[in-house]
Amino acid sequence: MPAYSTNIRLKFPILALILELVTILLYALFVVYDDGKTSHHEGGHDKDNSTDHHEENPVALYPMFQDVHVMIFIGFGFLMTFLKRYGFSSVGINLLLAAFGLQWGLLLQNIWHLDDGKIKLSIEKMINADFSTATVLISFGAVLGKTSPVQLLIMTLLEITTFCLNEHLAVGVLGASDVGASMTIHAFGAYFGLAVARVLYRPGLRNGHDNEGSVYHSDLFAMIGTVYLWMFWPSFNSAIAEPGTPQLMAITNTYFSLAACALAAYAMSSLVEHKGKLDMVHIQNATLAGGVAVGTCADMNIGPFGAMVIGVTAGVISTLGFKFLSPILASNLGIQDTCGVHNLHGMPGILGGLAGILAALLGRKEHVTPGIQAAALASSLGFALVGGAITGLIMKLPFWGQPADQNCFDDSIYWEVPEDEEEAGESLTQADHSKNKAEA
Amino acid sequence: MPAYSTNIRLKFPILALILELVTILLYALFVVYDDGKTSHHEGGHDKDNSTDHHEENPVALYPMFQDVHVMIFIGFGFLMTFLKRYGFSSVGINLLLAAFGLQWGLLLQNIWHLDDGKIKLSIEKMINADFSTATVLISFGAVLGKTSPVQLLIMTLLEITTFCLNEHLAVGVLGASDVGASMTIHAFGAYFGLAVARVLYRPGLRNGHDNEGSVYHSDLFAMIGTVYLWMFWPSFNSAIAEPGTPQLMAITNTYFSLAACALAAYAMSSLVEHKGKLDMVHIQNATLAGGVAVGTCADMNIGPFGAMVIGVTAGVISTLGFKFLSPILASNLGIQDTCGVHNLHGMPGILGGLAGILAALLGRKEHVTPGIQAAALASSLGFALVGGAITGLIMKLPFWGQPADQNCFDDSIYWEVPEDEEEAGESLTQADHSKNKAEA
Amino acid sequence: MPAYSTNIRLKFPILALILELVTILLYALFVVYDDGKTSHHEGGHDKDNSTDHHEENPVALYPMFQDVHVMIFIGFGFLMTFLKRYGFSSVGINLLLAAFGLQWGLLLQNIWHLDDGKIKLSIEKMINADFSTATVLISFGAVLGKTSPVQLLIMTLLEITTFCLNEHLAVGVLGASDVGASMTIHAFGAYFGLAVARVLYRPGLRNGHDNEGSVYHSDLFAMIGTVYLWMFWPSFNSAIAEPGTPQLMAITNTYFSLAACALAAYAMSSLVEHKGKLDMVHIQNATLAGGVAVGTCADMNIGPFGAMVIGVTAGVISTLGFKFLSPILASNLGIQDTCGVHNLHGMPGILGGLAGILAALLGRKEHVTPGIQAAALASSLGFALVGGAITGLIMKLPFWGQPADQNCFDDSIYWEVPEDEEEAGESLTQADHSKNKAEA
């Protein structure tokens, strides 16, 4: 890859400020506070959510919202800090993309059903706006370390737009059930990101990169992300569920799916390593696959037993994917998936969609039919792959400040990075190396 | 200690998968969702908890549950990351044990009072299941660094079983009051773990170990655990309290006990060091002793003043324990207590039990009698010591993959550990040393 | 600066224990549990808060309380861990000061309106007590690294006392509206701290200090603080808002102000660096300015659009302040502001006060008048500057164990600090250097 300029001093601020100013203008035109007289057509995933629970206390959902908020900003942000010299970008650009994405997502998710020509703000809409950013953060994981902040802002704009189209079609029009969004967020975000990664394929990274690995403490920072995602996933899958028993089901199903998944992920991680050692990559990611996979049928009557079977299956598939499938995708298909989102969100997301079809076949939730569920899964994959490919082509244009191959996975291209003490004490080692690269 | 093989490639996965599959089978037979018609015999600590508060909204307790969840997975997990090369195990094995433990605990806590032959899931039962895992995580602290994942899974199984027996006897049958579980969780978990540690005594570690200490950033990771435990302890002590004034009392008593305890711990830490410096071990642990010690009488009318006196007492005892008692336990009694759980959970737990007896004498809660409280304390200590000793003997069998003395406190025995940059840049230092050991 | 003794072995424990014992005595005399019969004169910021919402469930505000609690102990604590060798003090002394401050603040905030001669505890009073500590933690940022724990305990005592006087005057007597406390907490805390910093001016640090900077992982620890503050700021600004629409407004206004502020902070950070790189100092701090600046008018009908304009303005001002104003304050005015609290809390706090005056002019909240708002802003700045100057003079007395210039920003003066592996592996480098200094 040719060495483009990575100086984004004008491109990035101009793009960020234009996006923000356009957003503010649209908010001035369309967005008002909820006056309590909303006509109950919430724009989220679950069209059945039309109780008057929220009229009594407009902030009743706020603790659920904050759990989801923590997953988006701490969970996703720190999960990606595992790379040894890419933590600033992981948690910092995660914040940037989600901060823009939630503003954009709230607009596009609700433009389909205005109320007196306005979008009326509610906690539920804020939850859904946070959800919409999750798609981008998943895709971010696939291209982590190989893209500039400018490219990523563009991806955010285009991916959330595509997501809102697909969500409106699959949930709003077709009426599919996807309370925890296995299909519309996880599978969608993963395959969108993989399509972008395919288009941005870098042959120069075929043999890996010095910085594409962790150090001891970066793996511990990543565990902060993992554990928060693991703990709060029941909130993700139940936040917009129908209050009462369906919401309780969504919580308990996710709780037990994750617990069972953790056991499976630990067992498989030890089993596939020839010395029986646990691998941090598996623990950081595959323990979460149970939350993804139980998403679609979280509010269905699948029984705690059923949730645990889904969790174990997801944990096994995800760990095996990291060990055996990811290397093949990279070497044979040119899909360099930095964080392995295919194993955490892609396959478990499809598994979740299939579990939803099966649950519909078994009549585990009223008004849910297998055909509609299958159509929603297909739609999510289709929008993801086509949208991701087009987005990738736009991101591939040579003037977005993307890094050269040798500068990938290195914060110092886009961030002022302190020279660490221990490195400073040594002679010409990594610190100088990084610095030299940064000057490029 | 002879150098057993630490390769757990078959033992660990087989044990983990069998435990999970048996659990799933039992869930298929016994566990169903709460249909809202529960006959109000919750299995937790507080038998008075029988209002119809929860029938209105089955997820009303969910925010409390999530606070407890964070204490279990972030609090306990990161508190133990203080060791320089044992962070993966601390937070990772903590997740594994708690994920299995909550599934097992929920079964055993509720097997005493089935409802139509079934256990009906509720948020309150999930809180109690999380509680049951706390006993194991406390004991884990006593044997941290000296045990294999296989041994620890066995300990989880046996300790939670013992805990459920004692809890059923002390709270369910005798009717003792222990809302914050000073006796049934903290004292129990500590003395169970100390009994195990005594049985697993390693003379080879009498003079310490190179890796049994912290580095600068590992102490900061541990502070994440400390601060989360400190903040959310009011939730731990009040989650299953009777709604209304008792729950408010439990919150405020714990809040003020902890605040007063913090001042005492800082003061004592400075006082016992000959240069007046603060010691991170004290700050990370003794600041929390006030939460443990106020547990039993958190929902009793002891007054904020009374709670603060308990907190100061606990902070003083705990700090002095770390400074003066722990070395004696190790050298004279052969109890090598890695995290000092005797000082954080053991003595403050007993203090909590005694405070409960005193409060009962003073009539601070209806239907609570000193004799019953004393019997519950004795029962908790008895079950802990006997159960811990038996469990220790089983864990001592030589085929569970336990580490040799020189490999203790080292993640690289059971984990793939990245070679750190700075270490890689040096010649033959710690990194190689660790690696050589790992090959053993 | 002369080299005073930094051994605080007697001074610190004696001061801490006396403060705690006096506090306990006052609690024994004045503080009781809320019996549900409170006559609705809550002592907080918002005198309109007199619904009977809380009588139904005394712990209804508890999730909001815990969000604020996390901001105080994790948010402020970790935000200040950015310094390479001052993380123990940042998170540890933060805990100490807040633990004492909340006990003291609850007393002084409620002494103005006793109920039958007593202060009746409620969750709302605990939230306000947590709020009062925020002023101290903001000021702590201005003097971080240059003060002893003894000095800081004295500052806590005096600053919270001054804060309670000003709050009682501005909100209680004058009746100003300041739901998110832009004026009474943020501007107050910042200018109080800057006044203290001015009095404690150290010419010896004019040319900077080796330790006054970050290392890679210390910047990541600081991001934990940033992200938690960013996520939970809607809770800070809405916790004591009137239930219903005003509380929903406070949440949504803060959410969107912060999101817009983040975009502005990232854009400006890149713009002012000559290579277009992002600066962690800006990202860690300026992204939060939107939460500060929207505080006063968070519960006013300013529209999401208005909140976003405030957020963008705050993000721009804050970033420019870090880049251009802070160096001038240090070199020309002798104000050495370690964390740049002037840019995060000072200027955005004044902006918040001005926005409140403008909103009052536009009639965005009933019963709020521009004159009263202006008086509250002036009062907050006046109390801060005078109170801070007097407090600084007391802190300047030479026997509080303050560090010599060369020992500033170094944990090892007041803490036992582990010798890190990598340092131990080298010859005579930083570790020995630190150690030598510590012996001084």
Side-chain angles (χ1 to χ4, degrees):
Chain A
M1 191 168 168
Y4 307 126
S5 166
T6 57
N7 186 329
I8 54 171
R9 188 179 178 184
L10 290 180
K11 293 166 195 165
F12 172 72
I14 289 173
L15 177 62
L17 290 175
I18 287 178
L19 288 176
E20 186 58 45
L21 295 179
V22 169
T23 304
I24 292 181
L25 188 63
L26 292 170
Y27 271 65
L29 293 173
F30 290 115
V31 183
V32 296
Y33 305 113
D34 188 357
D35 54 4
K37 295 172 198 151
T38 311
S39 48
H40 285 310
H41 295 134
E42 288 291 342
H45 300 93
D46 196 359
K47 61 166 188 163
D48 292 335
N49 191 350
S50 57
T51 71
D52 45 16
H53 176 66
H54 304 143
E55 262 175 319
E56 295 169 9
N57 179 4
V59 304
L61 277 175
Y62 187 69
M64 283 284 182
F65 160 72
Q66 279 296 0
D67 289 357
V68 172
H69 219 40
V70 171
M71 293 178 73
I72 296 294
F73 290 92
I74 288 283
F76 281 105
F78 277 90
L79 182 60
M80 294 187 278
T81 58
F82 73 100
L83 289 172
K84 64 180 80 161
R85 299 302 282 184
Y86 211 64
F88 289 12
S89 299
S90 298
V91 69
I93 302 299
N94 187 85
L95 171 60
L96 172 70
L97 303 184
F100 170 62
L102 64 88
Q103 298 176 66
W104 191 247
L106 190 132
L107 273 177
L108 290 208
Q109 283 184 312
N110 293 289
I111 216 164
W112 315 99
H113 23 67
L114 298 175
D115 194 346
D116 299 332
K118 299 287 182 188
I119 296 169
K120 297 191 173 174
L121 288 176
S122 68
I123 304 294
E124 181 159 3
K125 289 199 176 76
M126 286 163 59
I127 293 173
N128 280 315
D130 266 31
F131 279 170
S132 76
T133 71
T135 60
V136 177
L137 305 179
I138 292 166
S139 302
F140 182 27
V143 299
L144 190 73
K146 301 169 295 193
T147 39
S148 75
V150 179
Q151 289 179 297
L152 292 166
L153 273 181
I154 294 169
M155 186 175 86
T156 304
L157 183 74
L158 298 178
E159 180 164 4
I160 288 186
T161 306
T162 316
F163 161 75
C164 291
L165 284 170
N166 177 59
E167 187 196 38
H168 181 62
L169 176 65
V171 179
V173 177
L174 295 179
S177 185
D178 196 21
V179 71
S182 304
M183 302 183 289
T184 50
I185 290 178
H186 294 288
F188 175 89
Y191 288 98
F192 192 104
L194 295 169
V196 172
R198 180 62 192 84
V199 175
L200 300 183
Y201 175 58
R202 289 171 179 263
L205 298 180
R206 222 167 14 212
N207 301 315
H209 186 290
D210 276 356
N211 280 343
E212 200 183 2
S214 63
V215 290
Y216 193 72
H217 282 167
S218 71
D219 269 327
L220 277 178
F221 279 112
M223 282 303 283
I224 298 174
T226 296
V227 176
Y228 270 102
L229 288 170
W230 197 90
M231 293 187 301
F232 288 163
W233 216 293
S235 305
F236 193 95
N237 284 355
S238 72
I240 58 165
E242 200 180 340
T245 303
Q247 192 170 37
L248 181 64
M249 273 186 196
I251 289 170
T252 50
N253 282 337
T254 310
Y255 178 72
F256 286 111
S257 175
L258 284 164
C261 175
L263 273 278
Y266 276 84
M268 294 309 293
S269 182
S270 173
L271 197 62
V272 297
E273 293 292 329
H274 72 289
K275 286 180 181 168
K277 295 188 184 184
L278 298 165
D279 188 322
M280 258 295 166
V281 173
H282 306 156
I283 302 310
Q284 285 160 2
N285 293 280
T287 50
L288 301 168
V292 173
V294 84
T296 298
C297 49
D299 63 346
M300 303 184 188
N301 186 17
I302 56 174
F305 156 81
M308 291 159 93
V309 170
I310 291 175
V312 166
T313 311
V316 170
I317 288 177
S318 185
T319 311
L320 295 178
F322 276 102
K323 182 71 181 177
F324 301 109
L325 191 56
S326 283
I328 294 172
L329 290 184
S331 60
N332 293 8
L333 299 183
I335 299 172
Q336 296 160 325
D337 176 7
T338 309
C339 295
V341 301
H342 188 240
N343 309 305
L344 171 48
H345 301 278
M347 292 190 295
I350 291 181
L351 175 63
L354 296 176
I357 295 170
L358 181 62
L361 276 170
L362 299 173
R364 293 296 162 183
K365 188 181 169 189
E366 288 185 359
H367 312 305
V368 177
T369 56
I372 298 292
Q373 293 300 110
L377 178 58
S379 167
S380 299
L381 296 176
F383 271 95
L385 291 171
V386 174
I390 295 170
T391 301
L393 288 171
I394 295 169
M395 289 168 71
K396 201 170 181 164
L397 297 174
F399 40 78
W400 304 129
Q402 46 266 64
D405 287 350
Q406 70 270 26
N407 293 340
C408 284
F409 312 112
D410 187 345
D411 275 334
S412 65
I413 306 301
Y414 303 113
W415 295 82
E416 301 285 341
V417 172
E419 205 173 293
D420 280 11
E421 271 176 43
E422 54 267 33
E423 292 173 339
E426 291 160 20
S427 54
L428 276 176
T429 61
Q430 187 64 28
D432 307 86
H433 185 55
S434 306
K435 211 174 145 198
N436 293 340
K437 280 194 299 184
E439 312 286 336
Chain B
M1 188 166 171
Y4 306 127
S5 165
T6 57
N7 186 330
I8 55 172
R9 188 178 179 186
L10 290 180
K11 294 166 194 165
F12 172 72
I14 289 172
L15 176 62
L17 289 176
I18 287 177
L19 288 176
E20 185 58 46
L21 295 179
V22 169
T23 303
I24 292 180
L25 188 63
L26 292 170
Y27 271 65
L29 294 173
F30 291 114
V31 183
V32 296
Y33 305 113
D34 188 356
D35 53 4
K37 295 172 199 153
T38 311
S39 48
H40 285 308
H41 295 135
E42 289 290 343
H45 300 93
D46 197 1
K47 62 167 187 162
D48 292 335
N49 192 352
S50 57
T51 72
D52 44 14
H53 178 66
H54 303 144
E55 260 174 320
E56 296 169 10
N57 179 3
V59 304
L61 277 175
Y62 187 69
M64 283 284 182
F65 160 72
Q66 279 295 2
D67 289 357
V68 173
H69 219 38
V70 171
M71 293 178 74
I72 296 296
F73 291 91
I74 288 283
F76 282 105
F78 277 90
L79 182 60
M80 294 187 280
T81 58
F82 74 100
L83 289 172
K84 64 180 80 161
R85 300 302 282 184
Y86 212 64
F88 289 12
S89 299
S90 298
V91 69
I93 303 300
N94 186 86
L95 171 60
L96 171 71
L97 302 184
F100 170 63
L102 65 89
Q103 299 176 66
W104 190 248
L106 191 133
L107 273 177
L108 290 208
Q109 284 184 312
N110 294 288
I111 217 162
W112 316 99
H113 24 67
L114 298 176
D115 193 346
D116 299 332
K118 299 290 181 186
I119 296 169
K120 297 192 174 175
L121 288 177
S122 67
I123 304 293
E124 182 159 3
K125 290 199 176 76
M126 285 162 59
I127 292 173
N128 280 316
D130 266 29
F131 279 170
S132 76
T133 70
T135 59
V136 178
L137 305 179
I138 292 166
S139 303
F140 182 26
V143 298
L144 190 74
K146 301 168 296 192
T147 39
S148 76
V150 180
Q151 289 179 297
L152 292 166
L153 273 181
I154 294 169
M155 187 175 85
T156 303
L157 183 74
L158 299 177
E159 179 163 5
I160 288 185
T161 306
T162 316
F163 160 76
C164 291
L165 284 169
N166 177 59
E167 187 195 39
H168 181 62
L169 176 65
V171 179
V173 176
L174 295 178
S177 185
D178 196 21
V179 71
S182 305
M183 303 182 288
T184 50
I185 290 178
H186 294 288
F188 175 88
Y191 289 97
F192 191 104
L194 294 169
V196 172
R198 179 64 193 84
V199 175
L200 300 184
Y201 175 57
R202 289 171 179 263
L205 299 180
R206 222 168 12 210
N207 301 315
H209 187 290
D210 276 356
N211 279 342
E212 200 184 1
S214 62
V215 290
Y216 192 72
H217 282 166
S218 71
D219 269 327
L220 278 179
F221 279 113
M223 282 302 284
I224 297 174
T226 296
V227 176
Y228 270 103
L229 289 170
W230 196 90
M231 294 188 300
F232 288 163
W233 215 294
S235 304
F236 193 95
N237 284 355
S238 71
I240 58 165
E242 200 180 341
T245 303
Q247 192 170 36
L248 181 64
M249 273 186 194
I251 289 170
T252 50
N253 282 338
T254 310
Y255 178 73
F256 286 110
S257 175
L258 283 164
C261 176
L263 271 280
Y266 275 84
M268 295 308 293
S269 182
S270 173
L271 197 62
V272 298
E273 292 293 327
H274 71 289
K275 286 180 181 169
K277 295 188 184 184
L278 298 164
D279 188 323
M280 258 295 166
V281 173
H282 306 157
I283 303 309
Q284 284 160 2
N285 293 280
T287 51
L288 301 169
V292 173
V294 83
T296 297
C297 49
D299 64 345
M300 302 184 187
N301 186 17
I302 57 172
F305 156 82
M308 292 158 92
V309 170
I310 290 175
V312 166
T313 311
V316 170
I317 288 176
S318 184
T319 311
L320 295 178
F322 275 102
K323 183 70 182 177
F324 301 109
L325 190 55
S326 282
I328 295 172
L329 291 185
S331 58
N332 294 9
L333 299 183
I335 299 172
Q336 297 160 325
D337 176 6
T338 309
C339 295
V341 301
H342 187 239
N343 309 305
L344 170 49
H345 301 278
M347 292 190 295
I350 291 182
L351 174 64
L354 297 176
I357 295 170
L358 180 62
L361 277 169
L362 298 173
R364 294 296 163 182
K365 189 181 169 188
E366 288 184 359
H367 313 306
V368 176
T369 56
I372 297 293
Q373 293 299 110
L377 179 57
S379 167
S380 299
L381 296 176
F383 271 94
L385 291 170
V386 175
I390 294 170
T391 302
L393 288 171
I394 294 169
M395 290 168 70
K396 202 172 180 161
L397 297 174
F399 40 77
W400 302 129
Q402 46 266 67
D405 288 349
Q406 69 272 27
N407 293 339
C408 283
F409 313 111
D410 188 343
D411 275 334
S412 65
I413 306 302
Y414 303 113
W415 294 82
E416 301 286 341
V417 172
E419 205 174 293
D420 280 12
E421 272 176 42
E422 54 268 30
E423 291 173 339
E426 291 160 20
S427 53
L428 274 176
T429 60
Q430 187 64 28
D432 307 84
H433 184 57
S434 304
K435 213 175 146 198
N436 292 340
K437 282 193 300 184
E439 311 288 334
Chain C
M1 189 167 171
Y4 307 126
S5 166
T6 56
N7 186 330
I8 54 173
R9 188 177 179 185
L10 289 180
K11 294 165 195 166
F12 173 72
I14 289 173
L15 177 62
L17 289 175
I18 288 178
L19 288 176
E20 185 58 45
L21 296 179
V22 169
T23 303
I24 292 181
L25 189 64
L26 292 171
Y27 270 65
L29 294 174
F30 290 114
V31 184
V32 296
Y33 304 114
D34 188 358
D35 53 4
K37 296 173 198 152
T38 310
S39 48
H40 284 309
H41 295 136
E42 287 291 342
H45 300 92
D46 197 0
K47 60 165 189 164
D48 292 335
N49 191 352
S50 58
T51 71
D52 45 14
H53 178 65
H54 304 143
E55 260 174 321
E56 295 168 10
N57 179 3
V59 304
L61 277 175
Y62 187 69
M64 282 284 182
F65 160 72
Q66 279 295 0
D67 288 356
V68 173
H69 219 39
V70 171
M71 293 178 72
I72 296 295
F73 291 91
I74 288 284
F76 282 106
F78 277 90
L79 182 61
M80 294 188 278
T81 58
F82 73 99
L83 289 172
K84 64 181 80 162
R85 298 303 281 185
Y86 211 65
F88 288 13
S89 299
S90 297
V91 70
I93 303 300
N94 186 87
L95 171 60
L96 171 71
L97 303 185
F100 171 62
L102 63 89
Q103 298 177 65
W104 190 248
L106 191 133
L107 272 177
L108 290 208
Q109 284 184 313
N110 294 289
I111 216 163
W112 316 99
H113 24 67
L114 298 175
D115 195 346
D116 300 331
K118 299 289 182 187
I119 295 168
K120 297 192 174 175
L121 288 177
S122 68
I123 304 293
E124 182 160 3
K125 289 199 175 77
M126 285 162 60
I127 292 173
N128 280 315
D130 265 30
F131 279 169
S132 76
T133 70
T135 60
V136 178
L137 305 179
I138 292 167
S139 302
F140 183 27
V143 299
L144 190 74
K146 301 168 296 193
T147 38
S148 75
V150 179
Q151 289 179 297
L152 292 167
L153 272 181
I154 294 169
M155 187 175 86
T156 304
L157 183 74
L158 299 178
E159 180 163 3
I160 287 185
T161 305
T162 316
F163 161 76
C164 291
L165 284 170
N166 177 59
E167 188 195 38
H168 181 63
L169 176 65
V171 180
V173 177
L174 295 178
S177 185
D178 196 21
V179 71
S182 304
M183 302 183 289
T184 49
I185 291 178
H186 295 288
F188 176 89
Y191 288 99
F192 192 104
L194 295 169
V196 172
R198 179 64 192 84
V199 175
L200 300 184
Y201 175 58
R202 290 172 179 262
L205 298 180
R206 222 168 11 211
N207 301 315
H209 187 290
D210 276 356
N211 279 343
E212 198 182 3
S214 63
V215 290
Y216 192 72
H217 282 166
S218 71
D219 269 327
L220 277 178
F221 279 114
M223 282 302 284
I224 297 174
T226 296
V227 176
Y228 270 103
L229 288 170
W230 196 91
M231 294 187 301
F232 288 163
W233 215 293
S235 305
F236 193 95
N237 284 355
S238 71
I240 58 164
E242 199 180 341
T245 303
Q247 192 169 37
L248 181 64
M249 273 185 195
I251 289 170
T252 50
N253 282 336
T254 310
Y255 178 72
F256 286 111
S257 175
L258 284 163
C261 176
L263 271 280
Y266 275 83
M268 294 308 294
S269 182
S270 173
L271 197 62
V272 298
E273 293 290 329
H274 72 290
K275 284 181 183 167
K277 295 188 185 184
L278 298 165
D279 188 323
M280 258 295 168
V281 173
H282 307 157
I283 303 310
Q284 285 160 1
N285 292 280
T287 49
L288 301 168
V292 173
V294 83
T296 298
C297 49
D299 64 346
M300 302 185 188
N301 186 17
I302 56 172
F305 155 81
M308 291 158 93
V309 170
I310 290 174
V312 166
T313 310
V316 170
I317 288 176
S318 184
T319 311
L320 295 178
F322 276 102
K323 183 70 181 178
F324 301 110
L325 191 55
S326 282
I328 294 173
L329 290 185
S331 58
N332 293 9
L333 298 183
I335 300 172
Q336 296 160 325
D337 176 6
T338 310
C339 294
V341 301
H342 188 240
N343 310 304
L344 172 48
H345 301 279
M347 292 191 294
I350 290 181
L351 175 64
L354 297 176
I357 295 171
L358 181 62
L361 276 170
L362 298 173
R364 293 296 163 183
K365 188 180 170 189
E366 288 184 359
H367 312 306
V368 176
T369 56
I372 297 293
Q373 294 299 109
L377 178 56
S379 167
S380 299
L381 295 177
F383 270 94
L385 291 171
V386 175
I390 295 170
T391 302
L393 288 171
I394 295 169
M395 290 167 71
K396 201 171 181 163
L397 297 174
F399 40 77
W400 303 130
Q402 46 265 65
D405 288 349
Q406 70 271 26
N407 293 340
C408 283
F409 312 112
D410 188 344
D411 275 334
S412 65
I413 306 301
Y414 304 113
W415 294 82
E416 302 284 341
V417 172
E419 205 174 293
D420 280 12
E421 271 176 43
E422 54 267 31
E423 292 172 340
E426 293 159 19
S427 54
L428 275 175
T429 61
Q430 186 66 28
D432 307 85
H433 184 57
S434 305
K435 214 175 144 198
N436 293 340
K437 281 194 299 184
E439 312 286 336

